[in-house]
Amino acid sequence: EVQLVESGGGLVQAGGSLRLSCETSGFTFADYGIGWFRQAPGKEREGVACISTSDGNTYYADSVKGRFTISSDNAKNTVYLQMNSLKPEDTAVYYCAAGTGITYFNYAYYFTRDYYWGQGTQVTVSS
């Protein structure tokens, strides 16, 4: 059974930090990129960051570059998103996904094909 389980969300003040985790199982981790995406109420889902688990290359949306860091622990099949200098506009449900074909579109990165998604974790940044 394929699983992607996000954790680490919560409520934080502006300027604070959170680290999200995406624990995966049930598929070959190195065959897929893993990405973080977010969706705020009334808005479309947008890409946040992606990592190619095979070579470690990372990709960031323009809106989070310099503030967020994506990393992976291939031994644990887990991807992390370290979020620093959080802003109220970062408030959203954050999802991780496994996919292929990392591509740049509209100031962010997406998969040309996504295969698996987690259930999401809420991040709320208060002003």
Side-chain angles (χ1 to χ4, degrees), residues 3-123:
Q3 285 192 314
L4 290 86
V5 180
E6 301 98 333
S7 61
L11 173 64
V12 65
Q13 288 188 332
S17 299
L18 284 174
R19 188 175 87 148
L20 305 183
S21 299
C22 173
E23 297 182 37
T24 76
S25 60
F27 62 94
T28 304
F29 189 72
D31 285 350
Y32 296 86
I34 304 294
W36 286 97
F37 302 83
R38 66 188 182 187
Q39 188 165 21
K43 295 188 176 181
E44 293 187 356
R45 187 172 60 202
E46 62 174 349
V48 176
C50 294
I51 186 166
S52 172
T53 57
S54 59
D55 58 21
N57 286 337
T58 57
Y59 308 84
Y60 296 95
D62 291 7
S63 60
V64 306
K65 199 173 296 182
R67 301 188 297 123
F68 291 10
T69 302
I70 189 171
S71 62
S72 70
D73 184 336
N74 287 22
K76 295 182 178 180
N77 292 346
T78 299
V79 169
Y80 305 97
L81 184 69
Q82 178 66 43
M83 305 187 294
N84 298 329
S85 302
L86 283 161
K87 304 175 181 180
E89 52 263 44
D90 294 318
T91 295
V93 178
Y94 284 68
Y95 301 89
C96 65
T100 57
I102 297 172
T103 188
Y104 185 73
F105 172 75
N106 199 25
Y107 309 106
Y109 286 91
Y110 298 86
F111 296 123
T112 54
R113 181 173 179 180
D114 49 73
Y115 288 83
Y116 312 115
W117 286 85
Q119 83 289 349
T121 186
Q122 176 71 46
V123 171

